[in-house]
Amino acid sequence: MSSSVVSPPALAQRLRGVASSPVRDLLALLDRPEVISFAGGLPAPELFDLAGLRAAFDAVLSTDAGRRHLQYAPTEGNRDLRTLVAGRLTGRGLPTAADDLLVTTGSQQALTLIATALLDPGAVVAVEEPTYLAALQCFSLAGARVVPVRSDDHGLDPDALAEVLAVERPTLLYLVPTFANPTGRTLPPERRAAVAELAARHGTWLVEDDPYGELRYRGSAVPALAAQPGVEDRTLYLGSFSKTASPGMRLGWLRAPEGLLRPLTVAKQAADLHTSTIDQAAAAAYLAAVDLDAHVRGLCAAYAERRDAMVAALPDTLPAGSTWSDPDGGMFVWARLPGGVDTAELLRTALTHDVAFVPGAPFFAGTPDRSTLRLSFTTNTPAQITEGMARLGRALHG
Ligand SMILES: Cc1ncc(COP(=O)(O)O)c(C=O)c1O
């Protein structure tokens, strides 16, 4: 190479120090059929409604009118889809009109749009600790300072939140209050009321990320944080098609207060113009044609058995002194091992036994607890879970 050649400039500052998601990296490494993976938060592919979705795509593409579903479309999203989603949210106790919603390319995009619209570099974001790591990535990319809020077995601790709000004055609070990723925890109603009251009192945006709320295996539904009185003007609620229908379609929605929808829509214009027209049209046709509640009941019945298989195996798998969550829904069990074990090291051993999980450290915004791990129970059958847990037990007990 000639000495007059100058290297191109370095990466943008905002990307330095933002690590790749270890979960995504792991998924790449786990492509060996013999590995039983509890790592990715993947829905069970055999439970996708292949026939129903194929019929929905057929329905929107089989006549000449279907040409419009292959065209550019408005940024806000397909009106039929928004109307159907609004009806479902209203039915679940969160009164919503089609015009309150922006269709997004997965709920992940909603996080990016929120960061673009609300966070200046240096802004403070408060999160429950531990939390969804791609949300941490997203807030870091926006140049925000992420501040952890202590949580316990029942989710975010309102006393800890009051302290963080008073000292740090965050621009927004992000939480997954129902069947959280990674812990599986659910914030009880009285804490929801306390969180809403604190957010209103301190003038903070509240971001409720709810991809798992419909996957309940036990107990009765808890009202959305967004449905709490007094926070209507400050709550952004994120939903997704990913866990109830198909993550590959990349369809989510963002319910936001009136004044925010316009700036969020402008942010989305710059990001991707709009979410896939054909996927939105097929999703609308699908929701109109099938009983999605019945499909979700089927998912819940299957996932409940898988959750039970994993929780039943835990006492014989993990060493004495371990603790774990026993989630009422969602996809994850969160465990903690005694004796200062580093679960990133344990993962190496586990992989030699053809079993995988996600080490807990990347889910922490503050000092990580390296003895924690996340186990997903939805992707494998009960028999595979029993076998995978036996392998994990052998990896642990050597
Ligand atoms: C808490 C949480 N939020 C958002 C997402 C992104 O979901 P999607 O973009 O598929 O809707 C996930 C995916 O696992 C998640 O766990």
Side-chain angles (χ1 to χ4, degrees):
M1 199 183 278
S2 137
S3 59
S4 65
V5 171
V6 178
S7 307
L11 277 180
Q13 189 70 40
R14 74 175 72 84
L15 257 175
R16 294 179 215 159
V18 180
S20 165
S21 155
V23 181
R24 302 241 119 234
D25 293 349
L26 261 177
L27 286 176
L29 284 178
L30 295 180
D31 209 12
R32 285 192 288 133
E34 59 276 24
V35 174
I36 294 181
S37 176
F38 301 133
L42 308 183
E46 71 276 17
L47 302 179
F48 292 146
D49 181 5
L50 199 59
L53 287 167
R54 187 178 56 229
F57 277 93
D58 270 357
V60 294
L61 284 180
S62 57
T63 69
D64 225 38
R67 291 179 188 280
R68 76 174 192 282
H69 301 308
L70 299 170
Q71 188 56 280
Y72 286 116
T75 305
E76 289 78 358
N78 177 301
R79 176 151 285 278
D80 292 344
L81 179 61
R82 288 193 292 151
T83 302
L84 287 157
V85 169
R88 287 185 66 77
L89 289 176
T90 303
R92 290 174 58 211
L94 185 58
T96 304
D99 285 336
D100 299 333
L101 296 173
L102 175 63
V103 175
T104 57
T105 303
S107 53
Q108 188 64 35
Q109 185 185 46
L111 290 170
T112 307
L113 301 180
I114 290 169
T116 304
L118 298 180
L119 300 177
D120 283 320
V124 175
V125 172
V127 299
E128 61 191 323
E129 179 83 318
T131 197
Y132 174 48
L133 72 92
L136 294 176
Q137 279 180 315
C138 184
F139 300 139
S140 301
L141 265 178
R145 185 163 65 84
V146 184
V147 175
V149 182
R150 194 178 61 239
S151 59
D152 59 20
D153 290 349
H154 303 289
L156 192 85
D157 176 344
D159 293 337
L161 176 62
E163 238 175 87
V164 167
L165 289 173
V167 174
E168 301 281 0
R169 311 189 64 76
T171 302
L172 69 83
L173 168 66
Y174 167 79
L175 68 173
V176 188
T178 311
F179 317 137
N181 182 1
T183 62
R185 293 168 183 157
T186 295
L187 197 68
E190 58 284 4
R191 286 198 183 185
R192 290 177 190 234
V195 167
E197 193 274 317
L198 284 165
R201 179 141 51 90
H202 288 268
T204 306
W205 294 110
L206 203 49
V207 177
E208 175 174 21
D209 190 0
D210 188 29
Y212 303 105
E214 291 192 68
L215 299 179
R216 173 176 285 281
Y217 320 132
R218 189 167 56 204
S220 43
V222 184
L225 202 48
Q228 296 291 323
V231 286
E232 298 83 357
D233 63 341
R234 68 195 56 235
T235 312
L236 296 98
Y237 175 92
L238 280 57
S240 176
F241 216 47
S242 291
K243 316 298 176 178
T244 53
S246 154
M249 287 172 76
R250 309 303 305 125
L251 285 176
W253 44 89
L254 173 50
R255 177 188 184 275
E258 199 187 340
L260 268 192
L261 275 168
R262 190 68 207 148
L264 288 162
T265 305
V266 171
K268 183 168 167 66
Q269 283 168 2
D272 65 355
L273 303 182
H274 61 79
T275 293
S276 159
T277 322
I278 176 62
D279 289 328
Q280 292 186 69
Y286 182 69
L287 286 179
V290 304
D291 181 350
L292 188 64
D293 291 333
H295 176 66
V296 170
R297 279 196 296 279
L299 292 180
C300 288
Y303 290 162
E305 283 181 7
R306 296 171 188 211
R307 188 265 327 262
D308 290 348
M310 182 169 277
V311 172
L314 281 161
D316 290 337
T317 304
L318 303 187
S322 300
T323 55
W324 56 83
S325 59
D326 180 2
D328 291 338
M331 294 192 162
F332 308 110
V333 167
W334 178 249
R336 183 172 195 284
L337 307 180
V341 177
D342 182 344
T343 55
E345 292 301 320
L346 174 63
L347 177 60
R348 281 181 221 280
T349 315
L351 282 170
T352 68
H353 289 262
D354 291 334
V355 63
F357 58 84
V358 185
F363 298 98
F364 288 81
T367 311
D369 182 345
R370 297 187 187 283
S371 306
T372 53
L373 64 151
R374 189 192 76 176
L375 296 160
S376 165
F377 53 79
T378 48
T379 326
N380 294 288
T381 62
Q384 289 166 326
I385 289 172
T386 306
E387 169 58 24
M389 295 301 276
R391 292 180 192 178
L392 182 58
R394 289 196 285 278
L396 271 160
H397 301 290

